[in-house]
Amino acid sequence: MNKSYRQIKRHRRRYKIARWLSRHPIWLHRFLNWVYRHTSGFRRAFGWMRQRMQWMRVLNPLRYIKILDWYIIKKFIGTYIYSIMLIISISIVFDINENLAKFTESHAPLQAIVFDYYLNFVPYFANLFSPLFVFIAVIFFTSKLAGNSEIISMLAAGVSFKRLMRPYMISCIVISLMSFFLSAYVIPHGTVIRQNFEAIYKNKTKNTSADNVQLQVGAGVIAYIQHYDNNLKKGYGFCLDKFENKKLVSHLTAMEVQYDTISDSKNHWKMTNWKLRRLKGLREVITSGMQKDTLIQMEPTDLVYSKGQQETFTSPELRAYISKQIDRGSGNVVQYQVEYHKRIAASFASFILTTIGFSLSSRKRKGGMGLYLGIGLALSFGYIMLQTVSSTFAINANLPPILAAWIPNFIFAVVAYFCYRNAPN
C-alpha cells in the first residue's frame, strides 16, 4: 500500500511515543489514557480550527526555508561571526599595543579599559566594517562549497542559480536588521561612553566651549552667547531678541546663563544679573533682577559641536535634532543628515556585496579562493572609501546628503547586476 510522506512521518511519530511509553510504569499509561478520553471534545475543536486555518501556514516564513537553505544560512552566519571575531581580536591586540603607554601614564583603571572602552570599541568597529565581513564570509565559504563540488551538485539536482540565492538573501536580511538596530539604537549610547573615556585617558582633545554662538530658538526669537563652557553648562554675555513683523519688541540680556541639569523638564535655564527691555512704539519698559528661571528652546548640544558628535545620537534623536536645526535656520546639519541616511544605506550594502561575492565565487576554478579573497577585499575597501569620499563631498561641496549616502550603493548595485547576469554562464 502506497503511503504519502506525511503519513509515514505521522506513523513514525506515534511509534516513537509508543516506545517511550513502554519504558515507563503502568500508572503513567493509565493517566495518559484518562487524559485522552476526557479531552476528546477539545481535540475535535482543535482539529476543526486547524482545518479552517490552513491558509495561515502561508504567513509562516519558516515554511519557505528548506534543508538546503538552513545548510547555507548556517555556513553564512557562522563564517560571518567567525571573521568578525578574528579581525576584531587582531584589532584589539594592535590597539592595546598602541595605547598601553597612554593608559599607563593616565592611570586608567582596568575596569574602565575593559567595560567603558573595549566593550564599546568592539560593536562600533564590527558594525563599521560589517560590509567587509559579509563579503569575506560569502567569498570564503562559497569558494569552499564550489571547491568541494557542492554547488555543482546543487545545480545538477535541478536547483537554479536564482533559487540558490534565496538562503543568501535570507541571511542578508538577518544581518541587515541586526546592523541597522545596532547603529541606530545601541552603538550611539556606547559611543558616548567610549568618547568620554578617550577624552580622559587617551588625551584626545574634546571641544568643550564655543564663542559667539547665534541661533534661532523660536519663531522670531534669536539667542546669542558670547562664550559658552560645556563643562560647567554655563554661558556668558547672553542676549535674547524677539521680533514681530521684523521689528524688535524685546531685548533680554544677562551676564550669565546656567543650564539646569537636574530639572525634570528640558530647556530650563537660570539667568543671573538680567535686564529686559520691552519696546512699545516709542516707549520702552525696563525690568531687571539678580536671578530668573526661564525656559529657552535650546540645549547644550545646540551650542557646542565636537568631532563625531553625530555618532552619539540614536536615529530618532538624529531625526529630531535635524528637524529642530533646520527650523532654526542652522547650516551645521549636513554631517547629521549624512549620518542619518548612511545608517539606512549601509544596511542594504549586505545585499549588494553578497550578490557580487556569490557571483564571483560560485564557480570551481583552479588556484583556490585566494584570488577571490583579494578581489573581495579590494571591492569592500573600495565601498568603504567611496562612502567616506561621498560624505566629504556632501559636507564640503554641497552634495545632497541622501545622495552622498546612497552613491556607493548605486554604483555597486550596477556591478552586482552584471556579475549576477553573467554568473550562470
Side-chain angles (χ1 to χ4, degrees):
M1 180 179 180
N2 295 328
K3 291 186 178 181
S4 64
Y5 175 75
R6 184 177 297 177
Q7 290 174 332
I8 296 173
K9 191 175 180 181
R10 188 184 301 117
H11 177 75
R12 182 175 179 273
R13 186 166 58 248
R14 290 175 180 174
Y15 175 71
K16 291 177 65 175
I17 294 173
R19 285 191 60 187
W20 181 83
L21 288 174
S22 65
R23 299 170 185 172
H24 291 77
I26 191 64
W27 63 265
L28 182 61
H29 295 212
R30 293 173 181 174
F31 173 74
L32 293 177
N33 287 332
W34 181 86
V35 172
Y36 184 80
R37 288 195 307 268
H38 290 78
T39 57
S40 58
F42 173 77
R43 285 186 284 106
R44 283 195 297 269
F46 182 77
W48 180 84
M49 291 178 59
R50 185 179 177 183
Q51 291 177 357
R52 295 297 184 276
M53 301 178 70
Q54 286 289 331
W55 59 272
M56 292 190 66
R57 295 180 58 194
V58 181
L59 303 178
N60 182 16
L62 296 180
R63 70 187 297 264
Y64 300 103
I65 304 178
K66 308 302 180 183
I67 296 176
L68 176 63
D69 299 324
W70 282 118
Y71 176 72
I72 294 178
I73 289 171
K74 290 176 183 178
K75 289 278 188 180
F76 192 164
I77 301 296
T79 310
Y80 172 75
I81 295 174
Y82 177 78
S83 62
I84 287 179
M85 294 174 60
L86 181 63
I87 297 178
I88 291 298
S89 300
I90 297 172
S91 302
I92 290 176
V93 171
F94 279 100
D95 190 80
I96 291 175
N97 185 51
E98 181 182 355
N99 297 311
L100 187 59
K102 294 181 180 179
F103 292 157
T104 305
E105 292 174 1
S106 57
H107 303 286
L110 180 62
Q111 183 178 1
I113 295 174
V114 175
F115 294 99
D116 292 349
Y117 183 67
Y118 284 110
L119 195 63
N120 297 303
F121 171 91
V122 170
Y124 174 78
F125 282 94
N127 193 68
L128 180 65
F129 295 102
S130 181
L132 173 64
F133 299 139
V134 169
F135 207 101
I136 291 176
V138 172
I139 292 286
F140 185 81
F141 89 89
T142 306
S143 298
K144 194 171 182 180
L145 291 179
N148 295 334
S149 301
E150 294 183 59
I151 292 183
I152 296 175
S153 302
M154 296 174 192
L155 297 175
V159 180
S160 64
F161 191 82
K162 181 179 179 181
R163 171 63 181 83
L164 204 55
M165 283 288 293
R166 181 193 293 179
Y168 287 85
M169 294 298 103
I170 294 174
S171 303
C172 288
I173 291 173
V174 175
I175 294 173
S176 297
L177 291 176
M178 181 182 65
S179 176
F180 176 75
F181 178 76
L182 287 174
S183 62
Y185 298 98
V186 178
I187 292 177
H189 298 294
T191 303
V192 175
I193 301 173
R194 182 174 56 83
Q195 288 183 355
N196 291 335
F197 177 91
E198 291 175 347
I200 297 173
Y201 298 111
K202 290 185 66 175
N203 300 324
K204 284 194 173 184
T205 57
K206 187 177 181 181
N207 190 16
T208 59
S209 63
D211 295 315
N212 300 321
V213 180
Q214 183 174 355
L215 70 158
Q216 182 175 338
V217 297
V221 182
I222 307 296
Y224 172 80
I225 298 180
Q226 185 175 359
H227 178 77
Y228 177 77
D229 189 342
N230 195 46
N231 291 328
L232 302 175
K233 298 292 188 291
K234 181 181 289 188
Y236 305 91
F238 177 72
C239 174
L240 189 69
D241 294 331
K242 184 177 182 180
F243 295 85
E244 290 182 1
N245 298 325
K246 299 183 180 181
K247 293 183 179 180
L248 182 66
V249 296
S250 67
H251 177 72
L252 174 65
T253 58
M255 293 291 294
E256 296 179 358
V257 286
Q258 176 71 52
Y259 184 72
D260 193 349
T261 57
I262 61 174
S263 176
D264 295 334
S265 60
K266 294 183 178 181
N267 308 320
H268 195 170
W269 295 82
K270 182 180 291 185
M271 295 186 294
T272 303
N273 196 5
W274 61 275
K275 179 186 291 186
L276 175 63
R277 299 169 56 192
R278 290 192 179 91
L279 305 175
K280 299 181 179 180
L282 298 178
R283 298 180 57 191
E284 182 179 10
V285 179
I286 300 176
T287 54
S288 61
M290 287 300 298
Q291 287 190 345
K292 182 179 182 180
D293 293 338
T294 184
L295 292 175
I296 304 174
Q297 298 299 317
M298 66 179 184
E299 298 180 37
T301 53
D302 302 330
L303 304 175
V304 177
Y305 172 76
S306 57
K307 185 179 180 180
Q309 182 177 338
Q310 67 274 11
E311 298 175 355
T312 63
F313 290 99
T314 63
S315 288
E317 292 172 346
L318 262 178
R319 187 167 56 247
Y321 182 85
I322 292 169
S323 177
K324 182 171 64 175
Q325 293 297 97
I326 291 176
D327 292 340
R328 290 174 174 175
S330 175
N332 189 27
V333 294
V334 178
Q335 56 265 38
Y336 295 90
Q337 292 174 322
V338 171
E339 177 68 21
Y340 178 77
H341 293 294
K342 188 167 68 174
R343 291 178 182 178
I344 301 174
S347 301
F348 288 89
S350 301
F351 297 94
I352 299 171
L353 296 178
T354 296
T355 304
I356 297 175
F358 177 66
S359 302
L360 290 176
S361 58
S362 59
R363 293 186 62 184
K364 184 176 181 180
R365 293 183 175 91
K366 295 182 180 180
M369 66 182 73
L371 176 63
Y372 304 114
L373 281 176
I375 296 174
L377 288 172
L379 288 173
S380 300
F381 281 117
Y383 178 85
I384 295 171
M385 185 185 69
L386 192 58
Q387 269 190 332
T388 305
V389 171
S390 60
S391 300
T392 305
F393 271 102
I395 296 172
N396 300 323
N398 296 324
L399 184 69
I402 187 172
L403 185 60
W406 283 91
I407 277 178
N409 285 358
F410 293 150
I411 294 176
F412 277 79
V414 175
V415 177
Y417 174 76
F418 284 105
C419 290
Y420 177 74
R421 287 294 301 271
N422 296 324
N425 301 325

